[in-house]
Amino acid sequence: MSDGTANVAQGARQVDVHGLWKVFGNKPERALEAAYGSKSRSEIQDELGLVVALRDVSFSVDQGQIFVVMGLSGSGKSTLVRALIRLVEPTRGSISIDGEDVLSYTTSQLMEFRRQKIAMVFQNYGLLPHRSVMDNVALGLEIRGIDKETRYQMSMESIETVGLGGWEDYRPREMSGGMQQRVGLARALAVNPDMLLMDEPFSGLDPLIRRELQDELISLQTKLKKTIVFITHDLNEALKVGDRIAVMRDGEIIQEGSPEEIVTLPSDEYVTEFVQDVSRAKVIQARAVMQESDVVVYERQGPRAALHIMDSHRQEAVFLIGRDFTLRGVLTKDRVMALIDERRRSLEGAEVDPATTTTPDALIEDIIPIAAQTRHPIAVVDDTRALLGEIRPGALLAGMAEGEQGT
């Protein structure tokens, strides 16, 4: 194992798992014999007395991605996340993280790997009740041998990151379940791991607190861009936090894809039943319903040119693009006529209405309330405010109708 933090480019593949098996029982390799290749988990258990927890599992995770493993109790999802760091030893298969063969690590290499690269967040928090929040968060840094002043400084940064500033001297028993889970997350972040493994982290919380923590995780991820393997049995949670989702049943991944693919293109009846009550608005993104803006006006053009363009396309309002190719706003025909009356030769400095904007990865369910409050198309822009396209009310309705028909 190499020393230090791996330099993995954003979006590069960080985790590769291939042909992973975990069989519990005496002489587990018997379940891998060809004679049992077509037999179900229950048949193998009846005939051999072995429990197949993972069966030929393969997947990959890119750096900075939230990869959700979803399934009901007994599907193998928790065994999978533990196998990634050999808390459970696989029976067969390969696990590569940052290009290194995790299954080849010696005991000392494995210990170093767990300390330096990986942090886990569990459902039951795993906090030490006799320690303060500060000392709980600093635990991983203390194990690394970092001096007290430095680890407290680093821990305080994590505590503030998860919104617990001012609570560092409290004991876990003095905090709510949601706050305790924030402590667990702060402890994981304090060691600045390459990867977070989160095993049903919000399952024991009431729905409101759970939604708040999901939102906070998504917000944190936009800043930290950690690679996260997230385990859940809750489909709505998976759809909300996941960049990609793997659905497990009886130790196998039966479908992997984006949230939109899982909902709109279920691979079999099992997944179909899982997603049948999910609104398409929760997974379809703006990029799927946006259209190219056929009519735009550029600041460098004069008002008479703008009027000609608007008349030719029978438009009463168009998007105005600045000289830096960013969206300035909505230019109305009335304003263009006023500029002509003022004998203006340029559209620079023209008064515009604010444009209603969204991002290409915004969900339809978040766009619908915005659309109800504007009479113009919604502009889809990137981080630099460059215009990528527009969403018209009819496109939103069509996207919803298509989803309902496919339900």
Side-chain angles (χ1 to χ4, degrees):
M1 175 181 166
S2 60
D3 295 328
T5 302
N7 295 316
V8 182
Q10 180 73 18
R13 183 163 294 179
Q14 188 161 12
V15 180
D16 251 319
V17 175
H18 183 72
L20 197 67
W21 288 73
K22 177 58 185 177
V23 183
F24 291 98
N26 186 35
K27 297 182 179 179
E29 63 279 359
R30 290 179 294 157
L32 280 64
E33 295 174 359
Y36 296 97
S38 61
K39 295 195 176 184
S40 68
R41 171 195 269 186
S42 59
E43 288 173 330
I44 293 174
Q45 186 168 354
D46 290 342
E47 294 182 28
L48 300 178
L50 301 174
V51 177
V52 180
L54 298 175
R55 185 170 190 160
D56 198 22
V57 171
S58 299
F59 66 92
S60 62
V61 184
D62 291 342
Q63 201 280 333
Q65 189 177 70
I66 300 182
F67 186 86
V68 174
V69 182
M70 186 193 75
L72 299 177
S73 179
S75 62
K77 57 190 187 298
S78 291
T79 301
L80 175 58
V81 76
R82 282 162 171 74
L84 291 179
I85 55 173
R86 289 174 56 188
L87 291 176
V88 169
E89 287 289 350
T91 305
R92 179 185 288 179
S94 65
I95 301 171
S96 172
I97 296 180
D98 292 336
E100 297 187 354
D101 179 6
V102 175
L103 300 185
S104 71
Y105 285 164
T106 63
T107 301
S108 60
Q109 287 176 320
L110 183 59
M111 185 177 299
E112 184 71 7
F113 165 73
R114 292 173 181 166
R115 286 179 177 176
Q116 299 294 334
K117 285 195 173 186
I118 305 292
M120 290 197 71
V121 182
F122 299 96
Q123 177 182 347
N124 62 1
Y125 321 134
L127 303 180
L128 300 176
H130 61 285
R131 287 197 171 205
S132 66
V133 168
M134 176 66 79
D135 286 324
N136 266 287
V137 173
L139 181 61
L141 298 170
E142 183 180 349
I143 292 173
R144 287 186 179 182
I146 295 175
D147 66 89
K148 185 174 182 178
E149 181 179 354
T150 302
R151 70 175 182 258
Y152 274 14
Q153 179 180 351
M154 296 171 69
S155 297
M156 194 64 223
E157 292 176 3
S158 291
I159 289 169
E160 291 176 348
T161 295
V162 301
L164 287 179
W167 288 86
E168 53 272 14
D169 295 326
Y170 284 74
R171 296 290 189 273
R173 66 177 178 274
E174 300 172 295
M175 310 175 81
S176 67
M179 296 177 76
Q180 290 184 53
Q181 191 57 282
R182 284 186 175 89
V183 177
L185 181 57
R187 179 176 59 192
L189 295 176
V191 297
N192 192 27
D194 290 351
M195 286 180 57
L196 281 173
L197 305 181
M198 306 185 75
D199 190 4
E200 301 265 15
F202 309 142
S203 293
L205 305 173
D206 68 67
L208 179 60
I209 298 300
R210 185 170 185 166
R211 286 195 297 271
E212 288 178 357
L213 287 176
Q214 291 166 357
D215 291 339
E216 288 183 19
L217 176 64
I218 294 168
S219 178
L220 281 172
Q221 179 66 349
T222 61
K223 304 171 189 175
L224 303 177
K225 294 180 171 59
K226 296 292 184 183
T227 302
I228 301 174
V229 177
F230 188 104
I231 306 299
T232 183
H233 66 270
D234 186 283
L235 175 62
N236 286 320
E237 182 168 73
L239 296 175
K240 183 173 183 177
V241 306
D243 296 310
R244 292 192 68 78
I245 299 171
V247 181
M248 293 194 72
R249 179 184 60 192
D250 294 341
E252 298 181 74
I253 292 178
I254 58 174
Q255 184 171 0
E256 181 191 338
S258 68
E260 184 173 342
E261 290 168 339
I262 296 294
V263 171
T264 60
L265 299 170
S267 62
D268 62 10
E269 290 184 6
Y270 180 80
V271 183
T272 299
E273 290 179 7
F274 244 120
V275 304
Q276 63 183 352
D277 295 325
V278 176
S279 168
R280 268 51 178 175
K282 292 181 177 292
V283 296
I284 296 177
Q285 297 179 327
R287 58 168 48 91
V289 297
M290 75 179 187
Q291 301 166 268
E292 184 178 352
S293 297
D294 296 328
V295 187
V296 296
V297 171
Y298 294 88
E299 224 175 21
R300 66 177 183 274
Q301 296 171 311
R304 290 189 180 278
L307 180 61
H308 174 73
I309 292 169
M310 296 171 79
D311 282 343
S312 298
H313 293 85
R314 299 180 181 179
Q315 297 288 327
E316 294 296 317
V318 294
F319 292 128
L320 178 62
I321 307 300
R323 287 188 178 274
D324 58 356
F325 297 101
T326 62
L327 177 65
R328 278 204 52 213
V330 177
L331 181 65
T332 64
K333 190 173 182 178
D334 287 344
R335 185 55 192 159
V336 171
M337 296 292 291
L339 293 172
I340 292 173
D341 290 342
E342 295 168 10
R343 298 182 183 279
R344 295 275 293 274
R345 295 177 176 273
S346 168
L347 294 175
E348 290 197 51
E351 183 179 340
V352 294
D353 293 340
T356 302
T357 63
T358 190
T359 58
D361 56 354
L363 299 176
I364 286 182
E365 73 168 352
D366 297 323
I367 298 171
I368 289 173
I370 301 173
Q373 300 175 21
T374 181
R375 54 194 177 91
H376 303 300
I378 298 171
V380 183
V381 298
D382 65 13
D383 293 340
T384 68
R385 204 173 164 77
L387 182 65
L388 304 176
E390 64 183 45
I391 297 176
R392 301 164 191 165
L396 281 177
L397 295 174
M400 289 296 293
E402 181 181 346
E404 294 304 321
Q405 290 167 7
T407 302

